[in-house]
Amino acid sequence: MQSKPSHVFISGVAGFLGSHLADRMIELGHRVSGCDNLQGGYLSNVPKKVEFYNVDLSDHEAMNPLLKGVDIVFHAAATAYDGFSVFSPHFVTQNVYSNTVSLASASINQGVKRFVYCSSMARYGEQQIPYNEDLAPRPITPYGVAKYAAELALKSLCDIHGMEYCICVPHNIIGPRQKFDDPYRNVAAIMMNRMLQGNQPIIYGDGDQKRCFSYIGDTLQTFEQLAFSPTAKNQVVNVGPDEEFVSINELARTIATVLDFELDPIYFNKRPGESRWATCSADKARKLFSYSTQYTLEDGIRKMAEWMKSVGPKPFQYNLDLEIKNQRVPKTWQENIL
């Protein structure tokens, strides 16, 4: 696909998605560098061949020299807290919108050829499903708003200064290295961590809300195309399989089956701002890149469980502050129930 090795820079390279992207780029023979503030990732995730910088994206002066000579940027870093953003909007917005603009500015300044921005299914809000790329974004949470605002800023800067961009829209990626001691995000990981501790999973609402879950191995092929394919230039593309649209109750049952766990979920009130139905169409990726799915949901859960068992369950870390504290805050967060 690409004629010669490139210098690829990955923000959030110590995180779940970023570290897997680094592995894939190294496997393809590229030089890989990246940064992470280690807020949501682990240094142990970073492949040894990565030129790593412990730098926060908000430090624009520090970022500029790191982008010198870089061809492709993957912007995977984010405080990916959709539900939590309803109660800590300032924290999430700063770490989604402002940090994207900082990295985009430095990338343009240093002559980066293409910027691949990892957006979120939260950009679509709650509307006709499956979400396809022609739908006008209608985000309903501060996280979704920040993600879409960052898209608009990126498009504006790229149109003016000539840097190519791609906007990818991953949805509920799961797999090894996912942060599973975070009580505010990653529903499959939270459920699995609790079950491995011998505790019942917690479900918000009736559990019939439905999602698609993407095993990390089914996303990397699309990310690769977004970085190097001429047909991906300036495109918005959903990333991940769309064949299995499952309820949260079904997700819990799948995890319990894989772990041989006797399931009796604990139900709490629905979280504010949570969409009832959310799934993305993969038709555009199929058309542009001949995308195909390799893993079922159960396949992905099994691989994730193997890894999590090898690491061992962890206590949940309530290390983020709620900016808005009222009766709408989920009880699980108010009382650190997880």
Side-chain angles (χ1 to χ4, degrees), residues 32-317:
V32 179
S33 60
C35 71
D36 203 294
N37 64 6
L38 301 180
Q39 184 181 73
Y42 303 102
L43 193 57
S44 58
N45 285 344
V46 182
K48 292 181 180 179
K49 290 186 178 181
V50 170
E51 301 163 36
F52 176 71
Y53 303 96
N54 186 0
V55 175
D56 194 290
L57 291 173
S58 63
D59 189 345
H60 186 258
E61 289 188 9
M63 288 304 305
N64 248 289
L66 303 188
L67 277 298
K68 186 175 182 180
V70 169
D71 302 299
I72 307 290
V73 167
F74 282 105
H75 180 29
T79 47
Y81 294 104
D82 192 27
F84 185 73
S85 73
V86 173
F87 301 100
S88 289
H90 173 71
F91 168 75
V92 170
T93 300
Q94 287 291 106
N95 285 280
V96 172
Y97 177 80
S98 296
N99 284 357
T100 300
V101 173
S102 173
L103 181 58
S105 175
S107 298
I108 291 168
N109 191 50
Q110 295 294 349
V112 169
K113 295 178 179 128
R114 181 174 290 188
F115 191 105
V116 182
Y117 172 59
C118 298
S119 188
S120 167
M121 186 166 57
R123 76 195 289 276
Y124 293 116
E126 188 166 20
Q127 49 183 316
Q128 174 187 338
I129 57 170
Y131 305 149
N132 65 57
E133 296 85 348
D134 292 330
L135 286 174
R138 293 197 323 216
I140 58 177
T141 63
Y143 174 68
V145 170
K147 277 291 189 181
Y148 183 49
E151 289 183 26
L152 295 177
L154 177 64
K155 287 179 182 179
S156 170
L157 289 168
C158 289
D159 287 345
I160 292 169
H161 298 286
M163 182 172 67
E164 295 179 4
Y165 68 86
C166 299
I167 294 168
C168 57
V169 187
H171 49 97
N172 297 313
I173 305 177
I174 61 172
R177 300 182 207 161
Q178 187 164 48
K179 189 169 175 60
F180 60 87
D181 59 354
D182 190 328
Y184 303 113
R185 59 174 176 162
N186 304 331
V187 59
I190 290 173
M191 285 184 172
M192 192 175 292
N193 191 25
R194 280 186 60 86
M195 290 189 212
L196 287 173
Q197 294 174 23
N199 298 320
Q200 291 294 334
I202 287 174
I203 294 175
Y204 299 99
D206 59 15
D208 288 335
Q209 62 268 40
K210 299 179 77 172
R211 301 289 185 270
C212 268
F213 294 88
S214 310
Y215 181 65
I216 184 67
D218 268 337
T219 67
L220 296 176
Q221 56 182 295
T222 306
F223 281 112
E224 179 185 341
Q225 297 276 1
L226 289 168
F228 301 109
S229 172
T231 60
K233 177 183 174 182
N234 298 359
Q235 294 285 341
V236 177
V237 181
N238 294 334
V239 176
D242 57 4
E243 294 91 342
E244 295 181 272
F245 187 36
V246 301
S247 71
I248 300 303
N249 286 323
E250 291 175 273
L251 174 67
R253 287 194 290 269
T254 301
I255 296 171
T257 298
V258 167
L259 296 180
D260 193 23
F261 181 85
E262 189 172 339
L263 185 66
D264 186 18
I266 302 167
Y267 291 87
F268 280 85
N269 290 338
K270 177 187 174 183
R271 294 187 313 193
E274 184 177 14
S275 298
R276 184 70 169 168
W277 319 113
T279 184
C280 290
S281 167
D283 286 346
K284 187 172 182 177
R286 292 187 185 100
K287 181 179 179 181
L288 289 178
F289 311 133
S290 301
Y291 170 77
S292 62
T293 302
Q294 305 299 317
Y295 301 89
T296 65
L297 173 62
E298 185 173 331
D299 292 336
I301 292 296
R302 287 192 182 281
K303 287 184 174 293
M304 187 175 175
E306 289 171 7
W307 169 78
M308 200 179 292
K309 285 178 181 178
S310 71
V311 174
K314 297 179 181 180
F316 290 95
Q317 302 296 316

